[in-house]
Amino acid sequence: MLAFILRRFFSSLVVLYFVVSLTFLLTTAQKGGPFEKEKMTATAKAEKERKYELDGPKWWQLARYQKRLLLERDMNVSIRYGDLTVAEILAQKLPNSLTLGACAFLIAAIGGVAFGFIAALRRDSWVDVSAMFFALGAISIPTFITGPLMIAVLGLWLGWLPIGGFGTWQQLMLPSICLGLPFLAYVARLTRNSLLDVMSQNYMRTAKAKGLDDSTALLRHALKVAILPVVTYLGPMAAYVLTGSFVVESVFNISGVGMVFVNGIQNQDPFLLCGAVIVYSALLVFFNFAVDVTYTFLDKRIKLHG
Amino acid sequence: MADGTSTANRWTGAPPNGWDVLKRNRVAMVSLWFLVFVALSAIVIPFFLPDALKTTSDASFSPPMSESADKQHVHYLGTDVNGQDLFYRLLMGAQVSMGVGLVAALVSLLIGGVYGMVSGYAGGRVDGGMMRLVDILNSVPSLLFVMIFISAFDGHFKDALDGMRLYGQEKHWQWLEKFGANLIPYSRIMILVIALSFIQWLTMARIVRGQVLVLKELAFVTAARTMGQSGWAILWKHLWPNLSTIVLTYLTLTIPAVIRDESFLSFLGLGIDDPAASWGSLLKDGAQVINPLDSKWWLLAFPAGLMSACLLALNFLGDGLRDAFDPKSND
């Protein structure tokens, strides 16, 4: 177990290292470099490039950035945000994104399993059919359609929920529902299908033969096995929720890491962009890792090999 | 067979063909016809629209079914901020979005198919290594990379096209010069397609590999091998035809994924930009003008409606295909 964790940890670090290096190379490879848009003389440009350690050949720039990152644990400064350090910017924006992501994640995970459970229990009834029809709709239609529509209908027309701002639970509600809805639908489908699979097993027949009613049998015996595919999906889901928050943040005007990322690309801000990528990739790698570990606790039959 | 001796509980028919299963799926068939209808309209109708509707005009934000400024035409779906007819924009957006979806899905099929076949057929250590690479790439936030990739290579790509045009000019190769000049406005779309197809091939590779692993153990492959056919010939002649239905299924499911990603990028302002339109960029314009005082609902409602309907139809069709050709998978 420990060997597995260590191995996965190191391979994650290697992945992270390459991802960050590639991001750095790609952002600095942009035509003209980060200082192209500003009108300045060649000497001023060279001066700026030296100041931000973006002069010289590519590999040398990369080496200096990596040295700074690894040895001094410093993500450098943002070129566009008035020389604020990347760490400061991220520390300011990350809580918003994480709160939003966590709410959406909880809505999706809990709601999805509940809906999937009900649909499986009432298999082939109108509840099941309409729930699955609705689920496919929620999966197909992206958040940048549902978001503005929810604002228009729930926020402006009916006036039930506030559409802007961030902090109170009412303000958090629309964005997190909007972000969580497609994932809720996917989890519901996954739960339903895997529950139906498990229900056809012999031990389920035994459980029912012993006199358990449908819902108890499902809850006690089936759900524990059927939840496994859902758990596998939770890792990628956490990642998708994070990426999905880009759109939700832009629709609902929330200042989070997603907006930092988009602005970083549009402003060609290499250090800020790399910082955002580090945060995203680290979270993603961590979630995948956490899922693998959870897996062993849920199902003792699975042997890990990293 | 039909001699009357067979009992009711003995099954004697041929196994149901996937296409027959699909044809019985009414939702999938309706989706298919709907998609054909939208695609044909998006290609054909713009030819018949009067030229006056295709340009910008002074009549910005006129509501649906209002007359144009010169009283000659009707804006069926209203106009946007530049006074462009939304109906026309929507059809052009459909062309771009569906085109990008289809092309990127095909490219991802090419890469993923070849990768998956080689990996599955080679087996052993090669397979392990190749699938490990897929795992690693899967754990990278792919959409983030598409964004960075596009912004990094957009300028260079445009330069390369321009260089091609100048080279043609220099050598007096008119066709090359024209070719380059015609491509330059589409460079952004092309780089988008390239980037999106590079992230979509992973699922395809995995599915093809899984299928090849099953197929290569079957007798006909062994027979082909004993007859001295090369690995490539076996892959192409014997395995590929057997893979085609499952590949078609996942192709149908890849298209909406690509369309969604493309619209996502365009919505954020990182994908297709003016004057070209896609559903995502139209939605971006629509989302910008919703406010409580003066609702320009048509700019949001029509693109959202058409895009949702198409994505739903593609997903229903893909689900139907999957039920028909890949009954064991459930997800």
Side-chain angles (χ1 to χ4, degrees):
Chain A
M1 189 65 197
L2 190 69
F4 162 77
I5 290 178
L6 282 177
R7 234 155 111 188
R8 274 299 302 267
F9 183 71
F10 281 115
S11 74
S12 308
L13 281 186
V14 171
V15 170
L16 213 58
Y17 174 79
F18 279 111
V19 164
V20 173
S21 305
L22 190 62
T23 311
F24 184 82
L25 285 178
L26 280 175
T27 27
T28 49
Q30 228 157 340
K31 209 181 116 211
F35 303 107
E36 182 68 13
K37 276 183 197 157
E38 295 167 34
K39 295 268 180 292
M40 58 171 84
T41 57
T43 44
K45 193 176 160 191
E47 176 65 32
K48 269 213 146 162
E49 277 180 352
R50 196 159 47 250
K51 183 184 160 201
Y52 290 109
E53 300 189 334
L54 286 171
D55 54 337
K58 272 272 131 57
W59 65 266
W60 177 231
Q61 295 177 19
L62 181 65
R64 275 181 296 175
Y65 179 65
Q66 283 172 351
K67 178 174 159 270
R68 194 181 256 262
L69 203 61
L70 294 176
L71 298 182
E72 296 157 33
R73 263 170 267 112
D74 174 19
M75 294 195 275
N76 215 335
V77 297
S78 159
I79 293 174
R80 306 281 155 185
Y81 275 82
D83 285 352
L84 277 171
T85 65
V86 171
E88 275 171 6
I89 296 176
L90 290 179
Q92 195 192 349
K93 312 271 181 181
L94 197 59
N96 290 352
S97 287
L98 286 183
T99 318
L100 178 62
C103 287
F105 186 85
L106 284 180
I107 289 176
I110 297 170
V113 171
F115 276 114
F117 188 81
I118 293 168
L121 203 60
R122 306 246 175 285
R123 175 170 33 154
D124 294 333
S125 69
W126 66 271
V127 181
D128 180 27
V129 172
S130 52
M132 287 306 118
F133 201 83
F134 178 74
L136 195 61
I139 292 170
S140 318
I141 298 168
T143 41
F144 48 82
I145 292 182
T146 51
L149 286 182
M150 275 161 89
I151 290 183
V153 175
L154 292 176
L156 297 177
W157 191 28
L158 298 172
W160 288 351
L161 290 165
I163 53 162
F166 196 76
T168 63
W169 66 270
Q170 289 105 327
Q171 284 168 335
L172 209 57
M173 203 127 124
L174 267 188
S176 36
I177 290 176
C178 177
L179 181 56
L181 201 61
F183 303 105
L184 187 154
Y186 197 86
V187 170
R189 260 163 68 110
L190 215 56
T191 312
R192 172 187 176 269
N193 288 345
S194 112
L195 267 176
L196 288 185
D197 254 15
V198 175
M199 270 158 91
S200 59
Q201 303 276 332
N202 283 334
Y203 66 85
M204 287 305 291
R205 210 173 50 210
T206 314
K208 274 187 210 159
K210 286 195 315 190
L212 291 182
D213 60 69
D214 266 3
S215 51
T216 323
L218 273 180
L219 209 56
R220 282 247 197 95
H221 298 274
L223 198 60
K224 212 175 152 196
V225 180
I227 207 84
L228 284 175
V230 179
V231 174
T232 330
Y233 180 63
L234 290 185
M237 181 171 103
Y240 294 142
V241 166
L242 286 173
T243 347
S245 70
F246 280 38
V247 163
V248 175
E249 279 173 22
S250 107
V251 168
F252 290 89
N253 246 325
I254 296 165
S255 101
V257 184
M259 291 307 279
V260 168
F261 191 88
V262 174
N263 290 338
I265 287 182
Q266 279 164 344
N267 298 333
Q268 305 191 8
D269 199 337
F271 299 122
L272 185 58
L273 208 52
C274 285
V277 167
I278 292 174
V279 169
Y280 269 104
S281 313
L283 284 172
L284 175 52
V285 166
F286 169 76
F287 285 129
N288 278 330
F289 174 70
V291 162
D292 277 356
V293 175
T294 323
Y295 221 69
T296 46
F297 287 115
L298 279 177
D299 191 346
K300 298 285 185 288
R301 289 172 299 181
I302 294 165
K303 289 233 163 43
L304 287 173
H305 43 87
Chain B
M1 292 285 181
D3 54 5
T5 54
S6 55
T7 51
N9 62 359
R10 176 175 290 167
W11 181 58
T12 55
N17 183 324
W19 293 113
D20 296 333
V21 176
L22 183 69
K23 272 183 203 148
R24 278 204 301 274
N25 186 339
R26 199 168 298 149
V27 184
M29 289 319 278
V30 170
S31 305
L32 179 64
W33 289 116
F34 174 74
L35 287 168
V36 170
F37 170 74
V38 173
L40 280 180
S41 327
I43 297 167
V44 174
I45 292 180
F47 285 114
F48 296 103
L49 285 176
D51 284 336
L53 285 181
K54 297 183 186 176
T55 53
T56 55
S57 73
D58 299 332
S60 57
F61 296 131
S62 44
M65 302 309 289
S66 61
E67 282 189 348
S68 64
D70 54 357
K71 308 261 183 261
Q72 299 284 309
H73 315 289
V74 178
H75 295 299
Y76 294 107
L77 302 183
T79 59
D80 64 3
V81 60
N82 297 322
Q84 281 174 298
D85 186 56
L86 187 62
F87 184 55
Y88 175 69
R89 297 269 290 168
L90 205 54
L91 291 176
M92 297 313 278
Q95 273 185 19
V96 170
S97 284
M98 287 176 133
V100 168
L102 192 64
V103 174
L106 284 173
V107 176
S108 79
L109 160 71
L110 194 73
I111 305 172
V114 170
Y115 193 94
M117 282 207 292
V118 169
S119 171
Y121 191 73
R125 209 163 264 192
V126 180
D127 180 35
M130 285 172 92
M131 279 303 123
R132 193 86 199 118
L133 181 67
V134 169
D135 284 346
I136 290 173
L137 289 179
N138 238 341
S139 73
V140 168
S142 46
L143 259 181
L144 307 192
F145 260 85
V146 169
M147 297 181 194
I148 299 173
F149 183 87
I150 291 171
S151 73
F153 290 114
D154 191 31
H156 295 293
F157 193 64
K158 214 168 258 168
D159 276 5
L161 285 177
D162 204 42
M164 192 169 83
R165 186 182 64 84
L166 290 174
Y167 184 74
Q169 205 171 30
E170 192 182 306
K171 296 265 171 181
H172 299 291
W173 290 344
Q174 286 233 319
W175 64 269
L176 190 66
E177 190 187 336
K178 251 191 200 147
F179 186 64
N182 286 335
L183 281 185
I184 287 173
Y186 300 105
S187 72
R188 185 97 190 195
I189 299 182
M190 283 162 70
I191 197 102
L192 199 69
V193 169
I194 294 170
L196 285 175
S197 26
F198 272 124
I199 60 165
Q200 285 293 347
W201 62 271
L202 297 169
T203 325
M204 191 63 91
R206 219 177 241 168
I207 283 158
V208 169
R209 169 193 172 256
Q211 208 63 14
V212 167
L213 280 181
V214 176
L215 285 173
K216 77 170 183 179
E217 300 302 329
L218 298 182
F220 70 95
V221 177
T222 321
R225 213 180 289 146
T226 29
M227 282 158 76
Q229 277 192 318
S230 69
W232 290 108
I234 293 174
L235 281 180
W236 178 242
K237 279 197 192 147
H238 301 292
L239 292 182
W240 180 245
N242 283 298
L243 288 169
S244 52
T245 49
I246 204 150
V247 159
L248 180 72
T249 304
Y250 284 92
L251 193 67
T252 325
L253 289 166
T254 309
I255 295 172
V258 176
I259 291 180
R260 220 173 34 213
D261 288 352
E262 178 269 311
S263 313
F264 174 92
L265 296 172
S266 301
F267 185 85
L268 288 174
L270 301 171
I272 285 158
D273 38 10
D274 282 345
S278 80
W279 287 332
S281 66
L282 290 175
L283 279 165
K284 178 184 71 177
D285 297 344
Q288 274 167 357
V289 294
I290 45 167
N291 63 64
L293 299 175
D294 159 33
S295 153
K296 289 155 187 121
W297 55 272
W298 60 93
L299 284 179
L300 185 63
F302 292 120
L306 184 65
M307 183 174 175
S308 314
C310 286
L311 286 180
L312 260 179
L314 276 165
N315 274 312
F316 277 128
L317 183 62
D319 263 21
L321 279 166
R322 188 162 54 188
D323 288 346
F325 292 114
D326 192 10
K328 269 174 289 178
S329 105
N330 53 354
D331 110 67

